[in-house]
């Protein structure tokens, strides 16, 4: 698959599932189930030791699947993720060192921001799309509405505490391009290996849109 920019990736669907796997095998099954439900973009986090292996496995599942690595917190993670096949990176925050490491690795980055100072740093480094994290805890929809005034050109992918019920309200905002969420992979479904439920939730998420006004 040809390399995509973050701008292209975030527009491939309204929801990017945020994933953490216990094993590489679980990662493959869940990734397959999500893709069957129409989800094209996956964010597989490095929160568990299975992360890099799951990324490698997911990349080979389909030609139209775009696999990103989440929870990038150290510069060395960028090269490791790129080597595993990740096509983009997602970080909870941003430093100049992390930015440089992503550039050096050729890994398009969706950096996390929470405050106006974070946003100004991201803009200085050339980002026009950022992750707002943790979205719900950091002020949710009203905070993103407030950011739109001083930062009118910036687009957001809010992640953290978002649910199937609240997602449409985020997607209705003019400065939101997509949302990140973990509700597509409930712990109960994963424990029961109920991949049909994951596919059902993925299908519903793929059809989410902003509520009609």
């Amino acid at each position: 698959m040809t390399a995509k920019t973050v701008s292209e990736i975030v527009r491939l669907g309204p929801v990017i599932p945020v994933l953490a796997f216990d094993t590489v095998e679980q990662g493959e099954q869940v990734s397959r189930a999500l893709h069957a439900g129409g989800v094209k973009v996956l964010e597989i986090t490095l929160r568990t030791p299975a992360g890099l292996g799951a990324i490698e496995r997911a990349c080979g599942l389909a030609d139209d699947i775009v696999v990103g690595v989440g929870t990038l917190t150290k510069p060395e993670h960028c090269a490791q993720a790129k080597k595993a096949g990740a096509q983009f990176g997602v970080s909870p925050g941003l430093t100049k060192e992390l930015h440089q490491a992503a550039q050096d690795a050729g890994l398009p980055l969706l950096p996390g921001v929470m405050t106006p100072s974070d946003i100004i740093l991201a803009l200085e480094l050339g980002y026009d799309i950022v992750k707002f994290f943790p979205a719900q805890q950091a002020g949710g929809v009203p905070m993103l509405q407030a950011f739109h005034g001083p930062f009118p050109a910036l687009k957001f992918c809010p992640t953290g505490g978002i649910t199937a019920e609240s997602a449409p309200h985020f997607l209705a905002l003019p400065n939101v391009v997509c949302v990140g969420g973990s509700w597509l992979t409930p712990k109960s479904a994963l424990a029961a290996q109920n991949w049909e439920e994951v596919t059902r939730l993925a299908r519903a998420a793929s059809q989410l849109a902003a509520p009609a006004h």
Side-chain angles (χ1 to χ4, degrees), residues 140-183:
V141 168
M143 186 67 108
L144 285 163
Q145 287 171 325
F147 282 154
H148 192 45
F151 309 111
L154 192 63
K155 300 295 184 193
F156 293 89
C157 169
T159 303
I162 296 175
T163 64
E165 291 71 38
S166 65
H169 299 285
F170 282 94
L171 292 167
L173 298 174
N175 54 349
V176 168
V177 280
C178 66
V179 300
S182 54
W183 79 85

Side-chain angles (χ1 to χ4, degrees), residues 59-72:
C59 288
L61 289 180
D63 289 341
D64 62 346
I65 208 163
V66 179
V67 182
V69 58
T71 324
L72 288 175

Side-chain angles (χ1 to χ4, degrees), residues 19 24 28 43 45 102 153 170 204 212:
L19 308 164
V24 173
E28 180 177 349
E43 179 193 331
T45 68
F170 282 94

Side-chain angles (χ1 to χ4, degrees), residues 39-55:
V39 170
K40 301 283 193 289
V41 183
L42 309 176
E43 179 193 331
I44 298 177
T45 68
L46 297 181
R47 296 176 193 179
T48 66
L52 288 172
I55 289 166

